Amino acid sequence: MESAIPQHLRCPRTRAARASEDYTPPYPAWVARFNPTTTQVVMAYFGVQSRGGRHKALAALQPILDQLSLPDGPRHHDLAHHVDAQGYDTVVAIAYWDTLAPFHQWAAQTAVDGWWQASARFEEGVGYFREIFLPHVERFETLFSTPDKFEGVGVLASHLSGDIQEHGYWGGMRDRLPASQTDALGAGQASAGQRQPGPRVIVQGRDNVALIRSGQDWGETEGEERSLYLADIEPELRAGMDFLEQKGDSVGCHFNRYMHHIDRAGQPIEKSFGLSLWRTLEHMERWSESHPTHIAIFGTFMRVVQQMNFQLKLRLYHEVLVAKANEQMYEYVNCHPNTGVLRMAHAQTST
């Protein structure tokens, strides 16, 4: 068994871990291992918001998908769809780079930056947004329930770890973050800057917001396991995701999207994930450890796991980051005021 924190990022702890040094987890799990030369990654969410179904939104996203194929584009991207609480279809391309220089070179191209800045974006009857995170490796972590398939930022990794120790207990997420060895990762201040008025809105980040992408892949499930996932687990998961989307501000969640993967033709794939941004890691932890909506998800999952005698084909994963203010960028064009962090910015402006 090995630590989730790679050797080159380990240091003497000044903040205690939640688990003892001799803790043994009840089941195996794995994390993505990155080349030690990787110091910072890019996790970029490029979205289109519209009414009229996912195919209309996907068609509007096509110029962005074309941009992702340009030189210095991402090493990997996913496509996902969500219908928000206001009834808007949202299609998002989630793109990943494992170094900053190619991302900045890609983003500065006229075909990319010029397209985003063009006034034509105001006249197309859809909303566009980009939410970009640039976390250092000390400030993000991954977790996988199986050792044979990467997802998300893990696709950029060099390999998966062996069995890791820091999981299977409340607080394991924090303990897997290298920065948590010495940093409380508490609430911080907004970076300098102003919201840009008009149909294009830029929102400044705040230190130590926490983003989680937590996914499920049920494509290989069969028989009883498949029925239990679709009839028991997924409804509880959806109820928790709906709570975070509609009432998440009451527990420190800035926004949540329960998204389903789609292919380039817009057809659903049997994979989903919740994407949520939190005021701090502590707010995320508090919800996961004690809120009834998450307790229901966790309890139902554990019941199904035991019923299946721990033999599952369901694949689970997540990636969590805690970002500094200057490691975030949010831009919204023609989007309704409850989109992403616009909800937070709108609330601040209204008070």
Side-chain angles (χ1 to χ4, degrees):
M1 189 175 300
E2 58 192 72
S3 174
I5 301 176
Q7 186 62 42
H8 70 285
L9 295 178
R10 302 195 76 182
C11 67
R13 275 192 174 272
T14 59
R15 302 192 63 82
R18 291 282 291 271
S20 64
E21 291 185 1
D22 60 354
Y23 167 78
T24 300
Y27 48 86
W30 299 262
V31 300
R33 293 290 194 214
F34 292 81
N35 191 309
T37 60
T38 299
T39 60
Q40 200 169 0
V41 300
V42 179
M43 305 176 181
Y45 292 78
F46 302 102
V48 168
Q49 175 189 90
S50 72
R51 293 190 184 274
R54 67 177 180 272
H55 293 285
K56 177 183 176 181
L58 180 59
L61 188 72
Q62 189 58 52
I64 296 174
L65 296 178
D66 293 341
Q67 293 164 18
L68 297 180
S69 299
L70 293 172
D72 295 312
R75 283 187 52 196
H76 171 70
H77 74 271
D78 294 318
L79 278 177
H81 170 251
H82 166 66
V83 179
D84 69 21
Q86 288 70 39
Y88 286 82
D89 286 275
T90 301
V91 174
V92 179
I94 309 104
Y96 296 90
W97 286 258
D98 58 1
T99 52
L100 261 62
F103 165 72
H104 288 307
Q105 292 162 9
W106 172 84
Q109 296 176 73
T110 300
V112 179
D113 188 59
W115 184 89
W116 276 97
Q117 301 303 326
S119 59
R121 301 291 81 78
F122 302 140
E123 303 164 0
E124 294 168 341
V126 299
Y128 297 98
F129 64 85
R130 46 183 174 175
E131 300 161 344
I132 299 173
F133 302 87
L134 314 171
H136 285 76
V137 292
E138 295 87 355
R139 285 175 158 261
F140 75 87
E141 61 91 10
T142 62
L143 190 68
F144 296 88
S145 68
T146 60
D148 57 349
K149 189 175 182 181
F150 291 106
E151 294 284 356
V153 73
V155 176
L156 279 56
S158 60
H159 62 284
L160 277 175
S161 69
D163 293 2
I164 56 135
Q165 182 182 37
E166 300 93 336
H167 77 96
Y169 61 93
W170 301 123
M173 175 174 59
R174 181 182 291 268
D175 287 351
R176 290 188 295 273
L177 287 163
S180 72
Q181 296 171 104
T182 59
D183 192 331
L185 301 173
Q189 299 300 312
S191 63
Q194 301 293 323
R195 294 178 63 220
Q196 184 172 330
R200 184 187 305 275
V201 180
I202 296 174
V203 182
Q204 303 300 322
R206 288 185 176 272
D207 278 335
N208 292 340
V209 297
L211 182 81
I212 181 170
R213 173 182 171 179
S214 181
Q216 338 22 256
D217 177 350
W218 66 95
E220 296 180 7
T221 61
E222 300 174 302
E224 183 183 13
E225 180 188 359
R226 187 178 183 85
S227 296
L228 287 169
Y229 175 76
L230 293 174
D232 292 7
I233 297 176
E234 198 282 333
E236 294 288 1
L237 175 61
R238 185 174 355 103
M241 296 294 96
D242 287 347
F243 167 80
L244 289 180
E245 181 175 10
Q246 298 166 18
K247 300 179 180 179
D249 52 353
S250 67
V251 292
C253 180
H254 290 319
F255 70 80
N256 183 74
R257 301 181 187 115
Y258 181 34
M259 308 207 74
H260 287 73
H261 285 249
I262 57 174
D263 62 22
R264 289 294 290 264
Q267 296 306 306
I269 300 170
E270 293 185 328
K271 296 164 62 175
S272 63
F273 61 89
L275 175 74
S276 56
L277 185 73
W278 295 76
R279 192 177 308 160
T280 65
L281 186 66
E282 182 180 359
H283 285 88
M284 187 195 303
E285 290 172 320
R286 195 179 303 151
W287 176 74
S288 65
E289 294 178 20
S290 62
H291 197 274
T293 53
H294 190 265
I295 296 301
I297 297 169
F298 182 77
T300 302
F301 173 73
M302 291 308 300
R303 175 176 59 77
V304 169
V305 167
Q306 292 169 10
Q307 187 170 338
M308 296 301 299
N309 197 29
F310 292 87
Q311 302 300 310
L312 298 180
K313 292 185 178 180
L314 176 69
R315 298 174 184 270
L316 305 173
Y317 74 94
H318 81 220
E319 58 196 40
V320 172
L321 65 88
V322 180
K324 296 180 180 180
N326 62 4
E327 296 171 348
Q328 307 159 54
M329 191 277 279
Y330 309 96
E331 181 177 2
Y332 302 88
V333 180
N334 289 343
C335 293
H336 68 67
N338 285 313
T339 307
V341 297
L342 279 184
R343 182 168 72 174
M344 174 179 65
H346 178 71
Q348 292 171 348
T349 302
S350 299
T351 57

